[in-house]
Amino acid sequence: MINFDQERPFDGVQIEALLDAAFGPDRFNKSSYSLRETVAPLASLSHVARAEGRIVGTVRFWPVLIKDLLRGSCEKALLLGPLAVAPSMQKYGIGSQLMNRSLAAASLAGHRRILLVGDIDYYCRFGFKNVLPNYITMPGGKDARRLLVRQNTSLPSLPAVGKIISADSVSVMPVGSIAAEYERDLPVAAA
């Protein structure tokens, strides 16, 4: 029997082992991991699946900002991920159940824009759409083609050109460096 519930503080070791099994050691090289380095996952939205006392599935949410590189403004969002299911437990619908439960919890908590880097063929069934043709990147200018969004239709549209940054980036940035950061992140036009 599989039980679904909120992640607990003592689940961290089992979750890390599951993520290692699902994604391997290269998972830390993904652009999304740099957004997670200085912030904790939102405990109230992070869920696990348990079978016989062992964690067999996990999904987490992280606070991020979408920086509009043309206007200089920032919008709050959530970054979903990673979603992982133990290789031996895949094909039982655990990932879908985790997605549905965690998205419902995020909606109830008032979060109206969720981003993730993933495969549109899998995530479209949960209401995610490609961010393209908007050009929004993850750190290092990566993953623009795989960036997906699920958002409330009442929200303003995504910026035409943007960058996903850690939710703590703006709060620690000195005021004098905001202009330099803005200019540095502008895309370079091809000649």
Side-chain angles (χ1 to χ4, degrees):
M1 177 178 205
I2 297 171
N3 296 313
F4 296 89
D5 62 3
Q6 264 184 267
E7 177 183 325
R8 299 176 192 154
F10 55 82
D11 290 334
V13 172
Q14 281 193 56
I15 289 171
E16 291 302 313
L18 172 61
L19 295 175
D20 285 343
F23 298 112
D26 287 341
R27 70 185 172 101
F28 295 105
N29 296 328
K30 295 182 179 195
S31 58
S32 55
Y33 270 85
S34 65
L35 296 169
R36 301 173 184 148
E37 290 176 347
T38 58
V39 293
L42 299 173
S44 63
L45 302 179
S46 299
H47 289 79
V48 296
R50 300 176 200 276
E52 299 175 10
R54 178 176 74 106
I55 293 177
V56 296
T58 181
V59 64
R60 287 175 161 172
F61 289 88
W62 309 78
V64 293
L65 298 170
I66 304 170
K67 182 176 181 180
D68 186 324
L69 296 180
L70 300 177
R71 294 190 177 114
S73 60
C74 288
E75 294 284 332
K76 291 181 182 180
L78 293 178
L79 179 66
L80 186 151
L83 168 67
V85 176
S88 64
M89 298 297 290
Q90 293 177 359
K91 307 292 183 196
Y92 294 108
I94 294 170
S96 293
Q97 289 239 21
L98 284 168
M99 285 293 293
N100 288 326
R101 290 168 185 268
S102 64
L103 290 172
S107 180
L108 280 173
H111 298 283
R112 302 180 315 160
R113 182 175 281 149
I114 301 170
L115 299 160
L116 65 83
V117 177
D119 180 9
I120 188 63
D121 292 336
Y122 180 81
Y123 290 104
C124 67
R125 63 180 148 174
F126 303 107
F128 285 88
K129 297 178 182 180
N130 282 312
V131 167
L132 292 172
N134 302 57
Y135 186 72
I136 300 173
T137 62
M138 298 288 282
K142 299 178 183 177
D143 298 320
R145 296 192 187 285
R146 297 188 69 229
L147 189 61
L148 308 176
V149 65
R150 180 181 193 259
Q151 66 183 17
N152 188 302
T153 56
S154 67
L155 287 176
S157 63
L158 290 168
V161 180
K163 180 179 179 179
I164 308 303
I165 60 174
S166 176
D168 69 347
S169 296
V170 172
S171 62
V172 297
M173 185 182 300
V175 174
S177 67
I178 292 175
E181 176 75 7
Y182 172 76
E183 289 174 6
R184 187 191 71 177
D185 289 334
L186 283 175
V188 177

